[in-house]
Amino acid sequence: MKTKTRFLFVWLFATATLQAQILTPVKWNIRLADTESVEKEVTFTATMDKGWHLYDMHLPEGGPVSTSITYDKVQGAELEGAPAASVAPMKAHDEMFDMELRWFTDRVTFTQKLKVTDVKKFYLTGEVEFMCCNDEQCLPPDRVTFTFDKSYVRNTLASDQLSAGETVADTPPEPAGDTATATELKPMDPVSSGTNVRITGAKPAPGVLSRSPELWTPVIDELKSYGGIAADTVNDSALYLFLAGLVGGLLALATPCVWPMIPMTVSFFLKRSKKRRKAITDAIIYGLSIVIIYLAMGLLVTAAFGASALNNLSTNAIFNIFFFLLLVVFAISFFGAFDLTLPSSWTNRMDSKADSSSGIGSLFFMAFTLVLVSFSCTGPIIGTLLVEAAADGVTIGPAVGMFGFALALAIPFALFASFPNLMQRMPKSGRWLRVVKISLGFLELALALKFLSVADLAYGWRLLDREVFIALWIVIFGLLGLFLLGKLRFKSEKGGYMTVTRLFMAILSLSFALYMIPGLWGAPLKAISAFAPPLYTQDFNLYEGEVRSVYEDYDEGMAQARKAGKPALIDFSGYGCVNCRKMEAAVWTDPRAKALLEEKFILISLMVDDKSKLPAPVTVRENDKNRTLKSVGDKWSYLQRSKFGANAQPFYVILDAAGQPISPSYAFDENATNFVRFLENGLKNYSK
């Protein structure tokens, strides 16, 4: 048993650290064969680690990303045909995508034939895009760039095309794609062809990323000299997720699926052993098993996706719409339309394991049974918690949140087993549990709108503007209040007396609905600023206290700061950033902060999750790897990472006209006085 326990903890630790590793299961070797003939071959050889596979070219739409080769510039040569694979791909029907997929394992070489037409002008550059998976996970699509010039075709018979006295290198250098720097930007024109081999007429256009490259120079050390990389945001987010998990666990505890399990389970433990000390020990182990199961779920989510991928998913339209629909379905289930349960065979199997096992094993399987039995009530809460962890982008966020959830869920079992007399004071299951379940249905419906709003903002659809969102919340919480008062009934509801607790909850719900009504005309509604869309999405707005940035482009805003002789306040924000909305509604609108922001600073807001496409993708060098920036959000996220060494939002930094920091950076802090002090300190340093 000790060996099994040790293996379990080693596995959990390995799973937790997997997300911190940079996996590179596919290695590429790209070469141009320099024959004496004008007919050449470029070979793209991929070598895969054991267990990993690389997808073939030309897969159907709607499936995984196909391997594709894009030629950004073809000069002095003509491509002949399409790349051909050296081996036949494996084929299988995939149930999830409902299509036939093809992939390669171990090693494959794609060969592209070309004909050199002008040795002197020969130039070939492009990139390979690919996606790889194993049986447990898939990595995000990646790209490898390549560049070949005339030095790679020195043996061509047509070498007399070189001008008199011109020579080429005896040994071709390595492809330039591996030596480019972040300032050597390679613009790529939009692609119109739908094939996997794409030729674009890219022209070297300076300033694709920035009209003023000096403004993009890293200032990480300068910022640190002020004591200013704001790393506390991660700690705050982790604490927030832990507390959110605790609240979620307490809510789950008061549901019809979990609450009745407490006296039944504790009674079992007391009967299991006549010795009180042994019963208490068993109950504690049972509670720890619950924590381990939920913690393992959080670690698996982190290991499978990683924090950065989760953060990208948090503003992805499909991801948010999926959770919007999922929460709506859960809400309908809570209202009593149908029950969501896992297959009974799963529960029966775990139950039989608990009966047949002994010692710690039986307690662990009993905990697993509780997890499965309570899924219909805990599922919506767990799903919401994991999505919140994805939006915050904390590396171990899912694990932290699930730990808080499991802790709140497990403590009562150990507590009541330790003090059996407390069981007599517990309220019995009954009508109040059904009230809790239906009330949670209303809350799930309200939260579902938050996910739809994030997708709506990130993609600029403008389907769920602020006044629409607020109107829907007013209706939802108004109906919740009527339900709590007994004026709205469901089939699962039976008659009964109004309790004092239910009356006060109805008062809170109806008061909250009334509180939101002025928001239809532009009132800031600071209590829901983290959930509602920003004020600028509201069509009819009578409120004049809003502070909104005039500039949403870094270079444009910095040019205005130089012209006006004012410092620039850079606001790295995001449409899906909850804390950003809190700062804008609760801190920026403070009269002191508002006056400084509008009169003394040039405010530049940069949305790192803006999905708008750039006029043309831009390739940059980061961490010894080429990356392609395709959206406006990619551009601002890269600016924050490369120039300031930070990637959390909100993130504020004050710059002078040359793009140099003049004070420490500032992160999330709802204390308006601290924010005003931060602004005044920047102004003081700017005047020097």
Side-chain angles (χ1 to χ4, degrees), residues 615-658:
V618 179
T619 301
V620 297
R621 190 72 171 175
E622 184 179 16
N623 298 327
D624 297 324
K625 187 175 182 180
N626 285 344
R627 296 185 181 276
T628 301
L629 312 179
K630 296 184 177 181
S631 69
V632 173
D634 291 343
K635 181 178 178 179
W636 304 141
S637 180
Y638 170 72
L639 171 65
Q640 185 183 5
R641 297 192 309 270
S642 63
K643 185 174 178 69
F644 304 108
N647 64 353
Q649 295 82 42
F651 182 83
Y652 308 103
V653 62
I654 300 175
L655 304 180
D656 62 15

mmCIF file of all heavy atoms in Angstrom, residues 615-658:
data_model
loop_
_atom_site.group_PDB
_atom_site.id
_atom_site.type_symbol
_atom_site.label_atom_id
_atom_site.label_comp_id
_atom_site.label_asym_id
_atom_site.label_seq_id
_atom_site.Cartn_x
_atom_site.Cartn_y
_atom_site.Cartn_z
ATOM 1 N N PRO A 615 -3.281 43.742 -40.665
ATOM 2 C CA PRO A 615 -3.292 43.850 -42.134
ATOM 3 C C PRO A 615 -2.465 42.755 -42.791
ATOM 4 O O PRO A 615 -2.807 42.262 -43.863
ATOM 5 C CB PRO A 615 -2.696 45.237 -42.382
ATOM 6 C CG PRO A 615 -3.003 46.008 -41.132
ATOM 7 C CD PRO A 615 -2.923 45.012 -40.017
ATOM 8 N N ALA A 616 -1.378 42.374 -42.128
ATOM 9 C CA ALA A 616 -0.548 41.275 -42.605
ATOM 10 C C ALA A 616 0.153 40.665 -41.401
ATOM 11 O O ALA A 616 0.570 41.384 -40.495
ATOM 12 C CB ALA A 616 0.485 41.760 -43.617
ATOM 13 N N PRO A 617 0.277 39.341 -41.331
ATOM 14 C CA PRO A 617 0.974 38.711 -40.203
ATOM 15 C C PRO A 617 2.419 39.196 -40.111
ATOM 16 O O PRO A 617 3.032 39.565 -41.115
ATOM 17 C CB PRO A 617 0.906 37.218 -40.532
ATOM 18 C CG PRO A 617 -0.259 37.085 -41.457
ATOM 19 C CD PRO A 617 -0.284 38.341 -42.266
ATOM 20 N N VAL A 618 2.961 39.185 -38.917
ATOM 21 C CA VAL A 618 4.325 39.651 -38.672
ATOM 22 C C VAL A 618 5.083 38.576 -37.905
ATOM 23 O O VAL A 618 4.585 38.041 -36.922
ATOM 24 C CB VAL A 618 4.327 40.966 -37.865
ATOM 25 C CG1 VAL A 618 5.746 41.418 -37.589
ATOM 26 C CG2 VAL A 618 3.566 42.048 -38.612
ATOM 27 N N THR A 619 6.283 38.235 -38.371
ATOM 28 C CA THR A 619 7.113 37.240 -37.709
ATOM 29 C C THR A 619 8.138 37.932 -36.823
ATOM 30 O O THR A 619 8.823 38.852 -37.264
ATOM 31 C CB THR A 619 7.829 36.341 -38.730
ATOM 32 O OG1 THR A 619 6.852 35.685 -39.536
ATOM 33 C CG2 THR A 619 8.686 35.295 -38.027
ATOM 34 N N VAL A 620 8.216 37.504 -35.563
ATOM 35 C CA VAL A 620 9.166 38.066 -34.616
ATOM 36 C C VAL A 620 9.973 36.930 -34.012
ATOM 37 O O VAL A 620 9.593 35.761 -34.087
ATOM 38 C CB VAL A 620 8.455 38.861 -33.496
ATOM 39 C CG1 VAL A 620 7.713 40.051 -34.067
ATOM 40 C CG2 VAL A 620 7.500 37.967 -32.717
ATOM 41 N N ARG A 621 11.096 37.291 -33.421
ATOM 42 C CA ARG A 621 11.951 36.308 -32.758
ATOM 43 C C ARG A 621 11.788 36.450 -31.256
ATOM 44 O O ARG A 621 11.997 37.532 -30.708
ATOM 45 C CB ARG A 621 13.414 36.543 -33.149
ATOM 46 C CG ARG A 621 14.360 35.432 -32.704
ATOM 47 C CD ARG A 621 14.167 34.190 -33.525
ATOM 48 N NE ARG A 621 15.190 33.181 -33.259
ATOM 49 C CZ ARG A 621 15.171 31.974 -33.785
ATOM 50 N NH1 ARG A 621 14.205 31.636 -34.618
ATOM 51 N NH2 ARG A 621 16.112 31.106 -33.504
ATOM 52 N N GLU A 622 11.361 35.380 -30.586
ATOM 53 C CA GLU A 622 11.137 35.425 -29.153
ATOM 54 C C GLU A 622 11.544 34.106 -28.530
ATOM 55 O O GLU A 622 11.121 33.044 -28.965
ATOM 56 C CB GLU A 622 9.658 35.706 -28.855
ATOM 57 C CG GLU A 622 9.347 35.869 -27.385
ATOM 58 C CD GLU A 622 7.883 36.177 -27.131
ATOM 59 O OE1 GLU A 622 7.062 35.969 -28.044
ATOM 60 O OE2 GLU A 622 7.558 36.623 -26.015
ATOM 61 N N ASN A 623 12.412 34.188 -27.507
ATOM 62 C CA ASN A 623 12.900 32.992 -26.819
ATOM 63 C C ASN A 623 13.513 31.989 -27.792
ATOM 64 O O ASN A 623 13.223 30.788 -27.753
ATOM 65 C CB ASN A 623 11.767 32.332 -26.014
ATOM 66 C CG ASN A 623 11.215 33.230 -24.929
ATOM 67 O OD1 ASN A 623 11.951 34.025 -24.353
ATOM 68 N ND2 ASN A 623 9.921 33.113 -24.661
ATOM 69 N N ASP A 624 14.351 32.522 -28.697
ATOM 70 C CA ASP A 624 15.051 31.688 -29.682
ATOM 71 C C ASP A 624 14.094 30.911 -30.571
ATOM 72 O O ASP A 624 14.395 29.810 -31.035
ATOM 73 C CB ASP A 624 16.000 30.700 -28.985
ATOM 74 C CG ASP A 624 17.096 31.411 -28.220
ATOM 75 O OD1 ASP A 624 17.556 32.455 -28.713
ATOM 76 O OD2 ASP A 624 17.490 30.927 -27.148
ATOM 77 N N LYS A 625 12.942 31.496 -30.829
ATOM 78 C CA LYS A 625 11.962 30.834 -31.681
ATOM 79 C C LYS A 625 11.179 31.871 -32.460
ATOM 80 O O LYS A 625 10.834 32.921 -31.931
ATOM 81 C CB LYS A 625 11.016 29.994 -30.811
ATOM 82 C CG LYS A 625 10.051 29.116 -31.600
ATOM 83 C CD LYS A 625 9.238 28.240 -30.656
ATOM 84 C CE LYS A 625 8.311 27.314 -31.416
ATOM 85 N NZ LYS A 625 7.513 26.450 -30.508
ATOM 86 N N ASN A 626 10.938 31.583 -33.715
ATOM 87 C CA ASN A 626 10.138 32.495 -34.531
ATOM 88 C C ASN A 626 8.654 32.339 -34.195
ATOM 89 O O ASN A 626 8.145 31.219 -34.113
ATOM 90 C CB ASN A 626 10.344 32.213 -36.020
ATOM 91 C CG ASN A 626 11.683 32.716 -36.514
ATOM 92 O OD1 ASN A 626 12.332 33.528 -35.846
ATOM 93 N ND2 ASN A 626 12.115 32.235 -37.662
ATOM 94 N N ARG A 627 7.978 33.458 -34.005
ATOM 95 C CA ARG A 627 6.552 33.453 -33.743
ATOM 96 C C ARG A 627 5.859 34.399 -34.712
ATOM 97 O O ARG A 627 6.416 35.437 -35.052
ATOM 98 C CB ARG A 627 6.253 33.862 -32.298
ATOM 99 C CG ARG A 627 6.795 32.898 -31.259
ATOM 100 C CD ARG A 627 6.364 33.293 -29.863
ATOM 101 N NE ARG A 627 6.888 32.382 -28.858
ATOM 102 C CZ ARG A 627 6.324 31.220 -28.511
ATOM 103 N NH1 ARG A 627 5.190 30.859 -29.100
ATOM 104 N NH2 ARG A 627 6.858 30.449 -27.599
ATOM 105 N N THR A 628 4.686 34.034 -35.131
ATOM 106 C CA THR A 628 3.920 34.857 -36.065
ATOM 107 C C THR A 628 2.763 35.522 -35.333
ATOM 108 O O THR A 628 1.949 34.835 -34.696
ATOM 109 C CB THR A 628 3.392 34.011 -37.234
ATOM 110 O OG1 THR A 628 4.493 33.416 -37.915
ATOM 111 C CG2 THR A 628 2.626 34.892 -38.212
ATOM 112 N N LEU A 629 2.719 36.839 -35.409
ATOM 113 C CA LEU A 629 1.638 37.612 -34.805
ATOM 114 C C LEU A 629 0.579 37.843 -35.868
ATOM 115 O O LEU A 629 0.857 38.463 -36.895
ATOM 116 C CB LEU A 629 2.170 38.951 -34.274
ATOM 117 C CG LEU A 629 3.451 38.886 -33.429
ATOM 118 C CD1 LEU A 629 3.874 40.285 -33.003
ATOM 119 C CD2 LEU A 629 3.262 37.990 -32.228
ATOM 120 N N LYS A 630 -0.619 37.359 -35.633
ATOM 121 C CA LYS A 630 -1.671 37.441 -36.640
ATOM 122 C C LYS A 630 -2.811 38.377 -36.260
ATOM 123 O O LYS A 630 -3.490 38.892 -37.134
ATOM 124 C CB LYS A 630 -2.234 36.042 -36.922
ATOM 125 C CG LYS A 630 -1.218 35.089 -37.534
ATOM 126 C CD LYS A 630 -1.854 33.753 -37.887
ATOM 127 C CE LYS A 630 -0.855 32.832 -38.566
ATOM 128 N NZ LYS A 630 -1.463 31.529 -38.952
ATOM 129 N N SER A 631 -3.023 38.577 -34.971
ATOM 130 C CA SER A 631 -4.126 39.433 -34.535
ATOM 131 C C SER A 631 -3.593 40.656 -33.797
ATOM 132 O O SER A 631 -2.432 40.696 -33.385
ATOM 133 C CB SER A 631 -5.080 38.654 -33.627
ATOM 134 O OG SER A 631 -4.470 38.359 -32.385
ATOM 135 N N VAL A 632 -4.470 41.637 -33.617
ATOM 136 C CA VAL A 632 -4.093 42.836 -32.872
ATOM 137 C C VAL A 632 -3.725 42.465 -31.439
ATOM 138 O O VAL A 632 -2.760 42.994 -30.866
ATOM 139 C CB VAL A 632 -5.254 43.855 -32.889
ATOM 140 C CG1 VAL A 632 -4.944 45.037 -31.977
ATOM 141 C CG2 VAL A 632 -5.512 44.339 -34.311
ATOM 142 N N GLY A 633 -4.476 41.533 -30.847
ATOM 143 C CA GLY A 633 -4.168 41.090 -29.495
ATOM 144 C C GLY A 633 -2.802 40.442 -29.402
ATOM 145 O O GLY A 633 -2.086 40.629 -28.416
ATOM 146 N N ASP A 634 -2.423 39.646 -30.414
ATOM 147 C CA ASP A 634 -1.085 39.049 -30.443
ATOM 148 C C ASP A 634 -0.010 40.130 -30.384
ATOM 149 O O ASP A 634 1.008 39.995 -29.692
ATOM 150 C CB ASP A 634 -0.892 38.235 -31.727
ATOM 151 C CG ASP A 634 -1.740 36.977 -31.750
ATOM 152 O OD1 ASP A 634 -2.223 36.568 -30.675
ATOM 153 O OD2 ASP A 634 -1.940 36.423 -32.842
ATOM 154 N N LYS A 635 -0.238 41.205 -31.117
ATOM 155 C CA LYS A 635 0.737 42.300 -31.194
ATOM 156 C C LYS A 635 0.930 42.961 -29.838
ATOM 157 O O LYS A 635 2.060 43.181 -29.393
ATOM 158 C CB LYS A 635 0.265 43.312 -32.239
ATOM 159 C CG LYS A 635 1.192 44.497 -32.451
ATOM 160 C CD LYS A 635 0.622 45.400 -33.540
ATOM 161 C CE LYS A 635 1.502 46.632 -33.750
ATOM 162 N NZ LYS A 635 0.959 47.506 -34.822
ATOM 163 N N TRP A 636 -0.180 43.280 -29.160
ATOM 164 C CA TRP A 636 -0.057 43.962 -27.864
ATOM 165 C C TRP A 636 0.445 43.019 -26.789
ATOM 166 O O TRP A 636 1.173 43.443 -25.878
ATOM 167 C CB TRP A 636 -1.400 44.570 -27.466
ATOM 168 C CG TRP A 636 -1.986 45.511 -28.470
ATOM 169 C CD1 TRP A 636 -3.298 45.637 -28.819
ATOM 170 C CD2 TRP A 636 -1.287 46.490 -29.269
ATOM 171 N NE1 TRP A 636 -3.455 46.604 -29.771
ATOM 172 C CE2 TRP A 636 -2.243 47.147 -30.075
ATOM 173 C CE3 TRP A 636 0.054 46.856 -29.392
ATOM 174 C CZ2 TRP A 636 -1.906 48.146 -30.967
ATOM 175 C CZ3 TRP A 636 0.406 47.853 -30.297
ATOM 176 C CH2 TRP A 636 -0.574 48.486 -31.073
ATOM 177 N N SER A 637 0.094 41.753 -26.864
ATOM 178 C CA SER A 637 0.612 40.788 -25.906
ATOM 179 C C SER A 637 2.123 40.642 -26.058
ATOM 180 O O SER A 637 2.857 40.560 -25.062
ATOM 181 C CB SER A 637 -0.078 39.435 -26.098
ATOM 182 O OG SER A 637 0.405 38.486 -25.176
ATOM 183 N N TYR A 638 2.598 40.626 -27.309
ATOM 184 C CA TYR A 638 4.037 40.547 -27.557
ATOM 185 C C TYR A 638 4.741 41.792 -27.039
ATOM 186 O O TYR A 638 5.824 41.715 -26.457
ATOM 187 C CB TYR A 638 4.294 40.376 -29.057
ATOM 188 C CG TYR A 638 5.750 40.528 -29.430
ATOM 189 C CD1 TYR A 638 6.681 39.550 -29.090
ATOM 190 C CD2 TYR A 638 6.203 41.656 -30.105
ATOM 191 C CE1 TYR A 638 8.019 39.695 -29.407
ATOM 192 C CE2 TYR A 638 7.538 41.812 -30.432
ATOM 193 C CZ TYR A 638 8.443 40.827 -30.083
ATOM 194 O OH TYR A 638 9.774 40.976 -30.395
ATOM 195 N N LEU A 639 4.131 42.961 -27.232
ATOM 196 C CA LEU A 639 4.714 44.209 -26.729
ATOM 197 C C LEU A 639 4.871 44.141 -25.214
ATOM 198 O O LEU A 639 5.927 44.514 -24.674
ATOM 199 C CB LEU A 639 3.825 45.392 -27.114
ATOM 200 C CG LEU A 639 4.192 46.748 -26.479
ATOM 201 C CD1 LEU A 639 5.553 47.219 -26.979
ATOM 202 C CD2 LEU A 639 3.122 47.793 -26.793
ATOM 203 N N GLN A 640 3.853 43.664 -24.508
ATOM 204 C CA GLN A 640 3.925 43.598 -23.051
ATOM 205 C C GLN A 640 5.011 42.631 -22.591
ATOM 206 O O GLN A 640 5.758 42.923 -21.659
ATOM 207 C CB GLN A 640 2.568 43.180 -22.474
ATOM 208 C CG GLN A 640 2.539 43.200 -20.950
ATOM 209 C CD GLN A 640 1.225 42.724 -20.373
ATOM 210 O OE1 GLN A 640 0.340 42.277 -21.110
ATOM 211 N NE2 GLN A 640 1.080 42.785 -19.066
ATOM 212 N N ARG A 641 5.116 41.480 -23.273
ATOM 213 C CA ARG A 641 6.121 40.496 -22.876
ATOM 214 C C ARG A 641 7.537 40.968 -23.192
ATOM 215 O O ARG A 641 8.434 40.892 -22.358
ATOM 216 C CB ARG A 641 5.862 39.158 -23.578
ATOM 217 C CG ARG A 641 4.558 38.487 -23.224
ATOM 218 C CD ARG A 641 4.536 37.051 -23.736
ATOM 219 N NE ARG A 641 4.892 36.947 -25.138
ATOM 220 C CZ ARG A 641 4.036 37.009 -26.148
ATOM 221 N NH1 ARG A 641 2.742 37.210 -25.897
ATOM 222 N NH2 ARG A 641 4.428 36.876 -27.402
ATOM 223 N N SER A 642 7.730 41.428 -24.409
ATOM 224 C CA SER A 642 9.082 41.738 -24.871
ATOM 225 C C SER A 642 9.623 43.032 -24.279
ATOM 226 O O SER A 642 10.810 43.131 -23.962
ATOM 227 C CB SER A 642 9.110 41.817 -26.404
ATOM 228 O OG SER A 642 8.284 42.878 -26.862
ATOM 229 N N LYS A 643 8.782 44.036 -24.135
ATOM 230 C CA LYS A 643 9.264 45.341 -23.666
ATOM 231 C C LYS A 643 9.261 45.449 -22.145
ATOM 232 O O LYS A 643 10.180 46.028 -21.553
ATOM 233 C CB LYS A 643 8.409 46.471 -24.257
ATOM 234 C CG LYS A 643 8.918 47.880 -23.903
ATOM 235 C CD LYS A 643 8.132 48.947 -24.634
ATOM 236 C CE LYS A 643 8.608 50.348 -24.236
ATOM 237 N NZ LYS A 643 9.964 50.626 -24.755
ATOM 238 N N PHE A 644 8.241 44.864 -21.493
ATOM 239 C CA PHE A 644 8.090 45.061 -20.057
ATOM 240 C C PHE A 644 8.270 43.790 -19.227
ATOM 241 O O PHE A 644 8.261 43.847 -18.004
ATOM 242 C CB PHE A 644 6.717 45.672 -19.753
ATOM 243 C CG PHE A 644 6.451 46.955 -20.480
ATOM 244 C CD1 PHE A 644 5.550 47.010 -21.527
ATOM 245 C CD2 PHE A 644 7.131 48.114 -20.137
ATOM 246 C CE1 PHE A 644 5.303 48.191 -22.208
ATOM 247 C CE2 PHE A 644 6.901 49.303 -20.811
ATOM 248 C CZ PHE A 644 5.988 49.343 -21.848
ATOM 249 N N GLY A 645 8.379 42.638 -19.882
ATOM 250 C CA GLY A 645 8.615 41.400 -19.153
ATOM 251 C C GLY A 645 7.456 40.975 -18.280
ATOM 252 O O GLY A 645 7.650 40.408 -17.209
ATOM 253 N N ALA A 646 6.231 41.250 -18.704
ATOM 254 C CA ALA A 646 5.043 40.889 -17.932
ATOM 255 C C ALA A 646 3.981 40.360 -18.883
ATOM 256 O O ALA A 646 3.997 40.655 -20.077
ATOM 257 C CB ALA A 646 4.516 42.100 -17.162
ATOM 258 N N ASN A 647 3.061 39.567 -18.350
ATOM 259 C CA ASN A 647 1.982 39.061 -19.209
ATOM 260 C C ASN A 647 0.636 38.983 -18.495
ATOM 261 O O ASN A 647 -0.298 38.378 -19.013
ATOM 262 C CB ASN A 647 2.341 37.676 -19.762
ATOM 263 C CG ASN A 647 2.471 36.634 -18.665
ATOM 264 O OD1 ASN A 647 2.419 36.952 -17.487
ATOM 265 N ND2 ASN A 647 2.656 35.384 -19.057
ATOM 266 N N ALA A 648 0.528 39.603 -17.299
ATOM 267 C CA ALA A 648 -0.741 39.608 -16.568
ATOM 268 C C ALA A 648 -1.466 40.923 -16.818
ATOM 269 O O ALA A 648 -0.847 41.950 -17.068
ATOM 270 C CB ALA A 648 -0.492 39.411 -15.076
ATOM 271 N N GLN A 649 -2.775 40.872 -16.746
ATOM 272 C CA GLN A 649 -3.598 42.060 -16.913
ATOM 273 C C GLN A 649 -4.534 42.195 -15.712
ATOM 274 O O GLN A 649 -4.962 41.169 -15.175
ATOM 275 C CB GLN A 649 -4.420 42.013 -18.221
ATOM 276 C CG GLN A 649 -3.604 42.028 -19.495
ATOM 277 C CD GLN A 649 -3.080 40.670 -19.851
ATOM 278 O OE1 GLN A 649 -3.789 39.676 -19.738
ATOM 279 N NE2 GLN A 649 -1.827 40.595 -20.278
ATOM 280 N N PRO A 650 -4.839 43.432 -15.263
ATOM 281 C CA PRO A 650 -4.356 44.691 -15.845
ATOM 282 C C PRO A 650 -2.903 44.968 -15.472
ATOM 283 O O PRO A 650 -2.424 44.521 -14.436
ATOM 284 C CB PRO A 650 -5.283 45.733 -15.211
ATOM 285 C CG PRO A 650 -5.654 45.148 -13.895
ATOM 286 C CD PRO A 650 -5.765 43.664 -14.121
ATOM 287 N N PHE A 651 -2.235 45.721 -16.330
ATOM 288 C CA PHE A 651 -0.839 46.097 -16.117
ATOM 289 C C PHE A 651 -0.681 47.526 -16.621
ATOM 290 O O PHE A 651 -0.966 47.812 -17.781
ATOM 291 C CB PHE A 651 0.083 45.152 -16.885
ATOM 292 C CG PHE A 651 1.546 45.431 -16.700
ATOM 293 C CD1 PHE A 651 2.232 44.937 -15.599
ATOM 294 C CD2 PHE A 651 2.250 46.181 -17.631
ATOM 295 C CE1 PHE A 651 3.585 45.182 -15.437
ATOM 296 C CE2 PHE A 651 3.590 46.430 -17.480
ATOM 297 C CZ PHE A 651 4.269 45.931 -16.378
ATOM 298 N N TYR A 652 -0.257 48.417 -15.732
ATOM 299 C CA TYR A 652 -0.136 49.833 -16.073
ATOM 300 C C TYR A 652 1.320 50.267 -15.935
ATOM 301 O O TYR A 652 1.994 49.907 -14.959
ATOM 302 C CB TYR A 652 -1.003 50.693 -15.142
ATOM 303 C CG TYR A 652 -2.441 50.242 -15.053
ATOM 304 C CD1 TYR A 652 -2.901 49.541 -13.942
ATOM 305 C CD2 TYR A 652 -3.344 50.507 -16.082
ATOM 306 C CE1 TYR A 652 -4.213 49.121 -13.851
ATOM 307 C CE2 TYR A 652 -4.664 50.098 -15.992
ATOM 308 C CZ TYR A 652 -5.089 49.399 -14.881
ATOM 309 O OH TYR A 652 -6.396 48.974 -14.805
ATOM 310 N N VAL A 653 1.792 51.039 -16.904
ATOM 311 C CA VAL A 653 3.149 51.572 -16.846
ATOM 312 C C VAL A 653 3.146 52.961 -17.459
ATOM 313 O O VAL A 653 2.465 53.215 -18.460
ATOM 314 C CB VAL A 653 4.148 50.636 -17.561
ATOM 315 C CG1 VAL A 653 3.812 50.487 -19.038
ATOM 316 C CG2 VAL A 653 5.571 51.107 -17.380
ATOM 317 N N ILE A 654 3.899 53.890 -16.841
ATOM 318 C CA ILE A 654 3.975 55.279 -17.308
ATOM 319 C C ILE A 654 5.284 55.466 -18.059
ATOM 320 O O ILE A 654 6.362 55.140 -17.549
ATOM 321 C CB ILE A 654 3.894 56.253 -16.118
ATOM 322 C CG1 ILE A 654 2.576 56.055 -15.362
ATOM 323 C CG2 ILE A 654 4.011 57.694 -16.599
ATOM 324 C CD1 ILE A 654 2.469 56.889 -14.099
ATOM 325 N N LEU A 655 5.195 55.994 -19.288
ATOM 326 C CA LEU A 655 6.366 56.169 -20.153
ATOM 327 C C LEU A 655 6.547 57.630 -20.511
ATOM 328 O O LEU A 655 5.583 58.403 -20.585
ATOM 329 C CB LEU A 655 6.210 55.351 -21.441
ATOM 330 C CG LEU A 655 5.950 53.843 -21.313
ATOM 331 C CD1 LEU A 655 5.839 53.225 -22.697
ATOM 332 C CD2 LEU A 655 7.051 53.164 -20.512
ATOM 333 N N ASP A 656 7.822 57.991 -20.788
ATOM 334 C CA ASP A 656 8.086 59.316 -21.344
ATOM 335 C C ASP A 656 7.995 59.238 -22.863
ATOM 336 O O ASP A 656 7.653 58.195 -23.431
ATOM 337 C CB ASP A 656 9.440 59.843 -20.873
ATOM 338 C CG ASP A 656 10.611 58.961 -21.328
ATOM 339 O OD1 ASP A 656 10.410 58.112 -22.231
ATOM 340 O OD2 ASP A 656 11.717 59.127 -20.783
ATOM 341 N N ALA A 657 8.308 60.332 -23.542
ATOM 342 C CA ALA A 657 8.142 60.387 -24.999
ATOM 343 C C ALA A 657 9.046 59.403 -25.725
ATOM 344 O O ALA A 657 8.766 59.011 -26.860
ATOM 345 C CB ALA A 657 8.398 61.808 -25.492
ATOM 346 N N ALA A 658 10.155 58.993 -25.075
ATOM 347 C CA ALA A 658 11.093 58.056 -25.699
ATOM 348 C C ALA A 658 10.736 56.608 -25.416
ATOM 349 O O ALA A 658 11.470 55.700 -25.813
ATOM 350 C CB ALA A 658 12.509 58.355 -25.218
#
